[in-house]
Amino acid sequence: MKLLITGATGMVGNRVLQYLNGQGHDITITTRRKNLDVSKLPCKVNVLEWTDNLDAKSLVGIEGVINLMGENIGAKRWSDNQKKLIINSRFDKTSELISKLNLSAKETLKVFVSASAIGIYPKDQISRDENSEHDKDFLAKVCEQWESSLNNLGQNVRKVIFRMGVVVGNGGMLSKLRPIFKLGLGGPIGSGDTLMSWIHVDDIAKLFVEAISQESFEGCYNATAPEVISNKEFTKSLAQSLGRPAFFPVPPFALKLAFGEMSHLMLDSQNIVPKRLIEKNYKFLYPNILAALNSL
C-alpha cells in the first residue's frame, strides 16, 4: 500500500515505522526538518518536506494515511501563542492535508487513521467510554476541532480516530520523570489519588498499523490500557522498575506555579475505558503498568 505518515519522527511515529518495516509498503513521511537523516529511521521511506504549502502533486496515488502531526502539548507553558500553535498544528494542518488529498488522491485514498486524545472527555474520576459527553476546556476543544477536520474526507474513505491516553514510552513524560526517579527524588503528586489513563507506545503503534489494514476498524476508539491507575500506583511502579525509592510528594501548587495552565496535564484525573477495543477483543501487549515500565 502507498502510505503517507505525518509526525513519523516523534516517539509514536518512529514506533509505527518499526512495525511497518518489512511489510512491503511504499511509505512517504512529511517533515518540517530540512535535510532529515533518513538513515536513522527504522525503515526505508520517501521524505516530503512540509514547511509552508504542501505540494498536492506529491500526494498522487496515496492509499492510506497515518496522521500523527501536532505540536507537543507538554513542551511549553500554554501562552496564547502556544495555544494557537497547538491548534494550528492539528486542525489547520490536517485540514490542509485533507484538502490536498481530495485534489490528488481522491480516487485512490481508502483509509485515514488519525490521532486524537482523551483530553476530549471531562477531567474527573468518573468512568468514560467513547459515547461519553465531551468537556468544554481547551484540550477538549483542540480534540474536537482536530477530529472534525476528517469530516472533509470523501464518503468512501474509511476514517479511524484513536483518542490516546498518556503514552508510556522512551520519550514524552517518562523521559522527564526517569532522571528524577533515578536520583531517588520521585514521588506522588499530592495525595496520589489522581487517576491516569495510559497506553504503552507499542500498543498504540500496533493499533495504528492494524487500523490501516483491517477494515473492521472504523470510527473513534479510546486508545488506553484497560488498567486505569492512580498517580500513587504509577509512582510506585516507576520507582520499582528503576530500583529506587519514591518518598518525595510533589505539592500541586508547585506544579501550578511552574507550568501554569499546562499543569492540568499532571493534576487532572481521567478514568477512560477502551470499550470498543475490548469489544473487538483487542489483545493488549501491555495491559499492566509495571510490565509496561519494565519493558522500557
Side-chain angles (χ1 to χ4, degrees), residues 184-252:
L185 300 176
I189 298 173
S191 66
D193 293 333
T194 301
L195 295 182
M196 173 179 162
S197 296
W198 61 279
I199 189 166
H200 191 283
V201 65
D202 281 1
D203 271 310
I204 187 60
K206 180 168 168 275
L207 280 168
F208 273 102
V209 172
E210 288 186 3
I212 280 289
S213 59
Q214 295 184 17
E215 294 187 3
S216 62
F217 278 95
E218 190 156 15
C220 295
Y221 297 83
N222 290 336
T224 58
E227 176 194 64
V228 178
I229 58 172
S230 68
N231 177 259
K232 187 184 298 181
E233 290 169 326
F234 173 77
T235 297
K236 180 180 178 181
S237 296
L238 180 55
Q240 185 176 338
S241 72
L242 294 171
R244 294 290 189 272
F247 299 134
F248 297 92
V250 180

Side-chain angles (χ1 to χ4, degrees), residues 5-263:
I5 304 177
T6 69
T9 57
M11 177 177 68
V12 175
N14 190 272
R15 204 74 181 112
V16 166
L17 291 180
Q18 290 182 47
Y19 272 90
L20 288 171
N21 188 31
Q23 292 192 10
H25 298 291
D26 179 0
I27 302 172
T28 297
I29 68 169
T30 65
T31 180
R32 291 176 293 177
R33 303 182 195 176
K34 290 187 177 294
N35 304 316
L36 176 69
D37 186 358
V38 295
S39 66
K40 295 182 179 180
L41 296 176
C43 69
K44 182 180 178 182
V45 300
N46 307 304
V47 177
L48 176 59
E49 287 188 12
W50 184 5
T51 51
D52 296 320
N53 292 320
L54 183 63
D55 181 11
K57 294 179 181 178
S58 61
L59 304 177
V60 171
I62 293 294
E63 297 170 276
V65 176
I66 294 178
N67 181 36
L68 295 164
M69 74 172 90
E71 175 74 7
N72 184 347
I73 62 173
K76 300 177 182 177
R77 288 176 70 101
W78 290 351
S79 64
D80 288 343
N81 285 336
Q82 185 64 11
K83 283 184 175 181
K84 289 179 182 177
L85 181 59
I86 289 170
I87 293 173
N88 174 268
S89 64
R90 287 165 171 81
F91 174 72
D92 291 356
K93 289 297 183 181
T94 300
S95 296
E96 180 184 349
L97 171 60
I98 289 173
S99 176
K100 298 296 174 63
L101 285 167
N102 287 339
L103 288 174
S104 298
K106 187 175 182 179
E107 303 301 323
T108 58
L109 186 63
K110 299 181 180 70
V111 56
F112 193 105
V113 187
S114 184
S116 183
I118 60 172
I120 200 169
Y121 301 114
K123 285 68 178 175
D124 52 34
Q125 298 199 347
I126 298 173
S127 178
R128 315 273 180 183
D129 62 27
E130 289 87 351
N131 295 318
S132 296
E133 70 271 25
H134 296 175
D135 208 344
K136 297 180 181 179
D137 64 357
F138 170 67
L139 285 178
K141 291 177 181 177
V142 171
C143 294
E144 284 185 338
Q145 288 188 50
W146 197 6
E147 293 181 13
S148 71
S149 61
L150 272 64
N151 294 337
N152 293 322
L153 286 164
Q155 291 185 348
N156 294 327
V157 179
R158 181 165 54 88
K159 308 168 189 69
V160 184
I161 295 172
F162 288 118
R163 293 171 176 164
M164 299 190 296
V166 176
V167 179
V168 176
N170 286 316
M173 178 186 72
L174 202 60
S175 66
K176 296 177 182 179
L177 291 177
R178 188 183 285 116
I180 299 171
F181 275 71
K182 279 186 175 180
L183 292 172
L185 300 176
I189 298 173
S191 66
D193 293 333
T194 301
L195 295 182
M196 173 179 162
S197 296
W198 61 279
I199 189 166
H200 191 283
V201 65
D202 281 1
D203 271 310
I204 187 60
K206 180 168 168 275
L207 280 168
F208 273 102
V209 172
E210 288 186 3
I212 280 289
S213 59
Q214 295 184 17
E215 294 187 3
S216 62
F217 278 95
E218 190 156 15
C220 295
Y221 297 83
N222 290 336
T224 58
E227 176 194 64
V228 178
I229 58 172
S230 68
N231 177 259
K232 187 184 298 181
E233 290 169 326
F234 173 77
T235 297
K236 180 180 178 181
S237 296
L238 180 55
Q240 185 176 338
S241 72
L242 294 171
R244 294 290 189 272
F247 299 134
F248 297 92
V250 180
F253 77 85
L255 293 175
K256 292 178 182 178
L257 285 174
F259 299 104
E261 189 179 356
M262 191 177 73
S263 64

